[in-house]
Amino acid sequence: MPNEQAVTRPVSQFEALRVPTHIGVIMDGNGRWAKQRGRPRTEGHRQGILALKRLVRLCNKYGVPYVTVFSFSSENWTRPKTEIEFIFNLLHKFVEADLNELHQNNVRVRVLGERNGLDVALQRTIAKVEATTARNSGLKLNVAFNYGGKNEIVEATRSIAADVKAGRLDLSQVSEELIEQRLYTAGMPAPDLLIRTGGEQRISNFLIWQNAYAELVFLDTWWPDFDEEDFVEALQIFSERERRFGGLSEASA
Ligand code: IPE
Ligand code: IPE
Ligand code: MG
């Protein structure tokens, strides 16, 4: 006899989770994690890379199609030079050292952000990792690096204006879809869940266009401590939210 309960009630918490299509992650709190332990901020960034690797594995495990992580903002240039260099070296090493593993796991890696002005060796590594994984059909991992949301919109505007000026585009063709095609995330679905660790409740110039309708989840966990429990907590909060997109809720419709 079929077990009625099994039909009407999710068998496990895991099955009750609604899995987002695209998760954006503001990986914040590395410095405070380190400070709390009396260690240099750089140690927090080093541990943050391990948390990033955990996140990639979790997205694979739970079947999340897209994840975009904020790893260095265009505003982070105001930090001390030594910290900036340390972060750059760490991220460079991460993409280089983990390329094989990411590739074997069928992960497609893309780097979103301004590349001009970056170290030439780093630019080469970025090009290599993107080319190597370009045909992978698994998790799409976007690393927002030297990224700023306002600047992304400025660049899109410039490219559209140039096309209009040259007569390749008519003003009437400028639309939301066209702007989206000129963003770094062209062709990807917008994030439906944005997670920020570290306790701050702000966007900090991250995917400001794309996050227009994302569900925002703020966790107090410092990024280096981020683990499966936090990930599942964020998915649970997301699963309980009702996304209305300006319409009416099911209850009041
Ligand atoms: C996030 O951690 C990493 C980067 C911004 C590169 P922070 O370095 O901002 O850590 P807190 O916010 O100072 O704790
Ligand atoms: C946002 O964190 C940028 C990244 C996580 C890379 P910040 O620490 O730079 O943000 P604010 O300064 O607290 O807004
Ligand atoms: Mg911070």
Side-chain angles (χ1 to χ4, degrees), residues 80-98:
K81 197 164 175 265
T82 46
E83 181 170 344
I84 295 173
E85 277 172 6
F86 190 88
I87 295 171
F88 272 52
N89 281 332
L90 260 185
L91 285 160
H92 195 162
K93 273 192 231 147
F94 164 70
V95 275
E96 231 170 22
D98 288 358

PDB file of all heavy atoms in Angstrom, residues 80-98:
ATOM      1  N   PRO A  80      44.866  48.756   1.722  1.00  0.00           N
ATOM      2  CA  PRO A  80      46.332  48.817   1.660  1.00  0.00           C
ATOM      3  C   PRO A  80      46.880  47.925   0.534  1.00  0.00           C
ATOM      4  O   PRO A  80      46.330  46.854   0.261  1.00  0.00           O
ATOM      5  CB  PRO A  80      46.776  48.266   3.024  1.00  0.00           C
ATOM      6  CG  PRO A  80      45.591  48.393   3.911  1.00  0.00           C
ATOM      7  CD  PRO A  80      44.378  48.331   3.041  1.00  0.00           C
ATOM      8  N   LYS A  81      47.956  48.421  -0.089  1.00  0.00           N
ATOM      9  CA  LYS A  81      48.530  47.730  -1.256  1.00  0.00           C
ATOM     10  C   LYS A  81      48.899  46.272  -0.934  1.00  0.00           C
ATOM     11  O   LYS A  81      48.696  45.375  -1.742  1.00  0.00           O
ATOM     12  CB  LYS A  81      49.783  48.506  -1.700  1.00  0.00           C
ATOM     13  CG  LYS A  81      50.262  48.180  -3.077  1.00  0.00           C
ATOM     14  CD  LYS A  81      51.239  49.243  -3.578  1.00  0.00           C
ATOM     15  CE  LYS A  81      51.814  48.856  -4.923  1.00  0.00           C
ATOM     16  NZ  LYS A  81      53.099  48.173  -4.858  1.00  0.00           N
ATOM     17  N   THR A  82      49.429  46.051   0.264  1.00  0.00           N
ATOM     18  CA  THR A  82      49.856  44.688   0.626  1.00  0.00           C
ATOM     19  C   THR A  82      48.650  43.731   0.653  1.00  0.00           C
ATOM     20  O   THR A  82      48.762  42.589   0.210  1.00  0.00           O
ATOM     21  CB  THR A  82      50.526  44.680   2.019  1.00  0.00           C
ATOM     22  OG1 THR A  82      49.713  45.442   2.918  1.00  0.00           O
ATOM     23  CG2 THR A  82      51.924  45.253   1.975  1.00  0.00           C
ATOM     24  N   GLU A  83      47.532  44.209   1.167  1.00  0.00           N
ATOM     25  CA  GLU A  83      46.343  43.339   1.219  1.00  0.00           C
ATOM     26  C   GLU A  83      45.826  43.051  -0.202  1.00  0.00           C
ATOM     27  O   GLU A  83      45.471  41.922  -0.529  1.00  0.00           O
ATOM     28  CB  GLU A  83      45.221  43.979   2.065  1.00  0.00           C
ATOM     29  CG  GLU A  83      43.996  43.073   2.139  1.00  0.00           C
ATOM     30  CD  GLU A  83      42.924  43.513   3.147  1.00  0.00           C
ATOM     31  OE1 GLU A  83      43.225  44.358   4.024  1.00  0.00           O
ATOM     32  OE2 GLU A  83      41.795  43.008   3.054  1.00  0.00           O
ATOM     33  N   ILE A  84      45.839  44.106  -1.045  1.00  0.00           N
ATOM     34  CA  ILE A  84      45.367  43.926  -2.426  1.00  0.00           C
ATOM     35  C   ILE A  84      46.242  42.885  -3.138  1.00  0.00           C
ATOM     36  O   ILE A  84      45.730  41.960  -3.773  1.00  0.00           O
ATOM     37  CB  ILE A  84      45.401  45.273  -3.196  1.00  0.00           C
ATOM     38  CG1 ILE A  84      44.398  46.250  -2.567  1.00  0.00           C
ATOM     39  CG2 ILE A  84      45.110  45.066  -4.674  1.00  0.00           C
ATOM     40  CD1 ILE A  84      44.455  47.663  -3.120  1.00  0.00           C
ATOM     41  N   GLU A  85      47.563  43.024  -2.979  1.00  0.00           N
ATOM     42  CA  GLU A  85      48.467  42.078  -3.649  1.00  0.00           C
ATOM     43  C   GLU A  85      48.231  40.659  -3.156  1.00  0.00           C
ATOM     44  O   GLU A  85      48.244  39.702  -3.931  1.00  0.00           O
ATOM     45  CB  GLU A  85      49.929  42.486  -3.416  1.00  0.00           C
ATOM     46  CG  GLU A  85      50.362  43.551  -4.413  1.00  0.00           C
ATOM     47  CD  GLU A  85      51.733  44.136  -4.121  1.00  0.00           C
ATOM     48  OE1 GLU A  85      52.428  43.649  -3.199  1.00  0.00           O
ATOM     49  OE2 GLU A  85      52.095  45.098  -4.830  1.00  0.00           O
ATOM     50  N   PHE A  86      48.007  40.533  -1.859  1.00  0.00           N
ATOM     51  CA  PHE A  86      47.777  39.205  -1.291  1.00  0.00           C
ATOM     52  C   PHE A  86      46.515  38.577  -1.893  1.00  0.00           C
ATOM     53  O   PHE A  86      46.517  37.418  -2.304  1.00  0.00           O
ATOM     54  CB  PHE A  86      47.641  39.306   0.237  1.00  0.00           C
ATOM     55  CG  PHE A  86      47.631  37.976   0.921  1.00  0.00           C
ATOM     56  CD1 PHE A  86      48.823  37.368   1.314  1.00  0.00           C
ATOM     57  CD2 PHE A  86      46.435  37.306   1.144  1.00  0.00           C
ATOM     58  CE1 PHE A  86      48.809  36.120   1.929  1.00  0.00           C
ATOM     59  CE2 PHE A  86      46.417  36.057   1.758  1.00  0.00           C
ATOM     60  CZ  PHE A  86      47.599  35.471   2.158  1.00  0.00           C
ATOM     61  N   ILE A  87      45.439  39.362  -1.972  1.00  0.00           N
ATOM     62  CA  ILE A  87      44.177  38.840  -2.521  1.00  0.00           C
ATOM     63  C   ILE A  87      44.356  38.444  -3.994  1.00  0.00           C
ATOM     64  O   ILE A  87      43.901  37.384  -4.432  1.00  0.00           O
ATOM     65  CB  ILE A  87      43.040  39.890  -2.383  1.00  0.00           C
ATOM     66  CG1 ILE A  87      42.724  40.143  -0.900  1.00  0.00           C
ATOM     67  CG2 ILE A  87      41.785  39.451  -3.115  1.00  0.00           C
ATOM     68  CD1 ILE A  87      41.762  41.309  -0.646  1.00  0.00           C
ATOM     69  N   PHE A  88      45.049  39.306  -4.751  1.00  0.00           N
ATOM     70  CA  PHE A  88      45.275  39.008  -6.168  1.00  0.00           C
ATOM     71  C   PHE A  88      46.055  37.701  -6.330  1.00  0.00           C
ATOM     72  O   PHE A  88      45.719  36.860  -7.157  1.00  0.00           O
ATOM     73  CB  PHE A  88      46.027  40.165  -6.843  1.00  0.00           C
ATOM     74  CG  PHE A  88      45.104  41.220  -7.381  1.00  0.00           C
ATOM     75  CD1 PHE A  88      44.129  41.787  -6.579  1.00  0.00           C
ATOM     76  CD2 PHE A  88      45.189  41.631  -8.700  1.00  0.00           C
ATOM     77  CE1 PHE A  88      43.257  42.758  -7.071  1.00  0.00           C
ATOM     78  CE2 PHE A  88      44.325  42.597  -9.212  1.00  0.00           C
ATOM     79  CZ  PHE A  88      43.367  43.156  -8.401  1.00  0.00           C
ATOM     80  N   ASN A  89      47.119  37.538  -5.531  1.00  0.00           N
ATOM     81  CA  ASN A  89      47.917  36.316  -5.625  1.00  0.00           C
ATOM     82  C   ASN A  89      47.090  35.088  -5.267  1.00  0.00           C
ATOM     83  O   ASN A  89      47.185  34.058  -5.938  1.00  0.00           O
ATOM     84  CB  ASN A  89      49.132  36.387  -4.679  1.00  0.00           C
ATOM     85  CG  ASN A  89      50.230  37.232  -5.292  1.00  0.00           C
ATOM     86  OD1 ASN A  89      50.333  37.323  -6.521  1.00  0.00           O
ATOM     87  ND2 ASN A  89      51.028  37.866  -4.461  1.00  0.00           N
ATOM     88  N   LEU A  90      46.270  35.232  -4.229  1.00  0.00           N
ATOM     89  CA  LEU A  90      45.438  34.102  -3.802  1.00  0.00           C
ATOM     90  C   LEU A  90      44.483  33.669  -4.909  1.00  0.00           C
ATOM     91  O   LEU A  90      44.356  32.481  -5.208  1.00  0.00           O
ATOM     92  CB  LEU A  90      44.584  34.526  -2.610  1.00  0.00           C
ATOM     93  CG  LEU A  90      44.994  34.154  -1.211  1.00  0.00           C
ATOM     94  CD1 LEU A  90      43.892  34.592  -0.258  1.00  0.00           C
ATOM     95  CD2 LEU A  90      45.265  32.672  -1.068  1.00  0.00           C
ATOM     96  N   LEU A  91      43.810  34.662  -5.512  1.00  0.00           N
ATOM     97  CA  LEU A  91      42.826  34.333  -6.541  1.00  0.00           C
ATOM     98  C   LEU A  91      43.509  33.778  -7.785  1.00  0.00           C
ATOM     99  O   LEU A  91      43.002  32.851  -8.419  1.00  0.00           O
ATOM    100  CB  LEU A  91      41.977  35.558  -6.871  1.00  0.00           C
ATOM    101  CG  LEU A  91      40.962  35.860  -5.773  1.00  0.00           C
ATOM    102  CD1 LEU A  91      40.468  37.292  -5.846  1.00  0.00           C
ATOM    103  CD2 LEU A  91      39.780  34.890  -5.851  1.00  0.00           C
ATOM    104  N   HIS A  92      44.674  34.331  -8.081  1.00  0.00           N
ATOM    105  CA  HIS A  92      45.447  33.829  -9.216  1.00  0.00           C
ATOM    106  C   HIS A  92      45.788  32.350  -8.990  1.00  0.00           C
ATOM    107  O   HIS A  92      45.578  31.492  -9.844  1.00  0.00           O
ATOM    108  CB  HIS A  92      46.725  34.665  -9.364  1.00  0.00           C
ATOM    109  CG  HIS A  92      47.399  34.478 -10.691  1.00  0.00           C
ATOM    110  ND1 HIS A  92      48.322  35.363 -11.187  1.00  0.00           N
ATOM    111  CD2 HIS A  92      47.288  33.502 -11.610  1.00  0.00           C
ATOM    112  CE1 HIS A  92      48.740  34.929 -12.364  1.00  0.00           C
ATOM    113  NE2 HIS A  92      48.130  33.810 -12.637  1.00  0.00           N
ATOM    114  N   LYS A  93      46.290  32.067  -7.773  1.00  0.00           N
ATOM    115  CA  LYS A  93      46.663  30.677  -7.444  1.00  0.00           C
ATOM    116  C   LYS A  93      45.440  29.769  -7.450  1.00  0.00           C
ATOM    117  O   LYS A  93      45.516  28.627  -7.884  1.00  0.00           O
ATOM    118  CB  LYS A  93      47.328  30.628  -6.058  1.00  0.00           C
ATOM    119  CG  LYS A  93      48.822  30.879  -6.131  1.00  0.00           C
ATOM    120  CD  LYS A  93      49.460  30.523  -4.801  1.00  0.00           C
ATOM    121  CE  LYS A  93      50.326  31.655  -4.301  1.00  0.00           C
ATOM    122  NZ  LYS A  93      50.380  31.801  -2.866  1.00  0.00           N
ATOM    123  N   PHE A  94      44.301  30.296  -6.965  1.00  0.00           N
ATOM    124  CA  PHE A  94      43.078  29.473  -6.926  1.00  0.00           C
ATOM    125  C   PHE A  94      42.698  29.026  -8.335  1.00  0.00           C
ATOM    126  O   PHE A  94      42.518  27.837  -8.585  1.00  0.00           O
ATOM    127  CB  PHE A  94      41.917  30.243  -6.280  1.00  0.00           C
ATOM    128  CG  PHE A  94      40.567  29.637  -6.539  1.00  0.00           C
ATOM    129  CD1 PHE A  94      40.214  28.427  -5.952  1.00  0.00           C
ATOM    130  CD2 PHE A  94      39.643  30.256  -7.368  1.00  0.00           C
ATOM    131  CE1 PHE A  94      38.965  27.850  -6.185  1.00  0.00           C
ATOM    132  CE2 PHE A  94      38.398  29.695  -7.603  1.00  0.00           C
ATOM    133  CZ  PHE A  94      38.062  28.477  -7.016  1.00  0.00           C
ATOM    134  N   VAL A  95      42.633  29.966  -9.274  1.00  0.00           N
ATOM    135  CA  VAL A  95      42.211  29.561 -10.626  1.00  0.00           C
ATOM    136  C   VAL A  95      43.248  28.665 -11.282  1.00  0.00           C
ATOM    137  O   VAL A  95      42.899  27.717 -11.981  1.00  0.00           O
ATOM    138  CB  VAL A  95      41.864  30.753 -11.562  1.00  0.00           C
ATOM    139  CG1 VAL A  95      40.442  31.194 -11.383  1.00  0.00           C
ATOM    140  CG2 VAL A  95      42.777  31.922 -11.418  1.00  0.00           C
ATOM    141  N   GLU A  96      44.529  28.930 -11.007  1.00  0.00           N
ATOM    142  CA  GLU A  96      45.582  28.113 -11.625  1.00  0.00           C
ATOM    143  C   GLU A  96      45.609  26.707 -11.020  1.00  0.00           C
ATOM    144  O   GLU A  96      45.539  25.715 -11.730  1.00  0.00           O
ATOM    145  CB  GLU A  96      46.937  28.786 -11.404  1.00  0.00           C
ATOM    146  CG  GLU A  96      47.711  28.929 -12.685  1.00  0.00           C
ATOM    147  CD  GLU A  96      48.930  29.805 -12.515  1.00  0.00           C
ATOM    148  OE1 GLU A  96      49.425  29.983 -11.374  1.00  0.00           O
ATOM    149  OE2 GLU A  96      49.398  30.322 -13.538  1.00  0.00           O
ATOM    150  N   ALA A  97      45.683  26.641  -9.698  1.00  0.00           N
ATOM    151  CA  ALA A  97      45.859  25.347  -9.027  1.00  0.00           C
ATOM    152  C   ALA A  97      44.608  24.488  -9.123  1.00  0.00           C
ATOM    153  O   ALA A  97      44.694  23.266  -9.178  1.00  0.00           O
ATOM    154  CB  ALA A  97      46.239  25.577  -7.565  1.00  0.00           C
ATOM    155  N   ASP A  98      43.450  25.109  -9.155  1.00  0.00           N
ATOM    156  CA  ASP A  98      42.219  24.319  -9.132  1.00  0.00           C
ATOM    157  C   ASP A  98      41.594  24.120 -10.506  1.00  0.00           C
ATOM    158  O   ASP A  98      40.526  23.518 -10.614  1.00  0.00           O
ATOM    159  CB  ASP A  98      41.190  24.968  -8.193  1.00  0.00           C
ATOM    160  CG  ASP A  98      41.615  24.786  -6.745  1.00  0.00           C
ATOM    161  OD1 ASP A  98      42.652  24.146  -6.532  1.00  0.00           O
ATOM    162  OD2 ASP A  98      40.931  25.280  -5.853  1.00  0.00           O
TER     163      ASP A  98
END
